[in-house]
Amino acid sequence: MTTIAEMQAEHSRWLSHNFPHQRNHEPLLGLMEEVGELAHAHLKSAQGIREIDAELDKVDAIGDIFIYLMSYCNSNGVDLEKAIAVTWDRVRTRDWQADPKKGGE
Ligand SMILES: [Mg+2]
């Protein structure tokens, strides 16, 4: 199975080939657009219209969000796998059931 770090390295090569002049804010705009697509899919589900499409659209948006996140990290010198691991190590210790106000911090 490909790790996030391996995928980010592959994305970096793909990015250099396809969009060598990408400015560092551009993938953030793409990321926000994809979050909007995910929200749109949820809206369709909540409204009970085109629900079959909505489920596929949610998965597609999630994949695109991750790809844009890799793009953002590659354009801004961030190790995505490390960022996730460091943050998850902090978040995983919180217990909002035991401490609803502070999560145990
Ligand atoms: Mg999309």
Side-chain angles (χ1 to χ4, degrees), residues 33-105:
E33 192 272 341
E34 293 297 339
V35 171
E37 286 189 12
L38 183 57
H40 184 244
H42 273 273
L43 179 62
K44 285 194 286 186
S45 291
Q47 293 173 328
I49 57 175
R50 290 184 280 170
E51 289 179 273
I52 294 173
D53 289 345
E55 292 310 307
L56 295 172
D57 289 347
K58 287 175 190 172
V59 174
D60 184 65
I62 289 166
D64 286 340
I65 286 167
F66 182 79
I67 291 167
Y68 269 118
L69 197 52
M70 285 195 297
S71 190
Y72 179 83
C73 289
N74 279 329
S75 291
N76 289 274
V78 176
D79 181 331
L80 179 57
E81 189 170 87
K82 187 177 177 184
I84 293 168
V86 166
T87 304
W88 176 237
D89 278 349
R90 190 174 63 248
V91 171
R92 73 193 314 166
T93 64
R94 296 176 186 154
D95 187 338
W96 296 100
Q97 296 301 317
D99 184 359
K101 294 198 175 183
K102 293 185 175 180
E105 289 185 347

Side-chain angles (χ1 to χ4, degrees), residues 23-37:
R23 291 172 294 172
N24 66 355
H25 71 280
E26 289 178 306
L28 179 60
L29 301 179
L31 178 60
M32 298 302 290
E33 192 272 341
E34 293 297 339
V35 171
E37 286 189 12

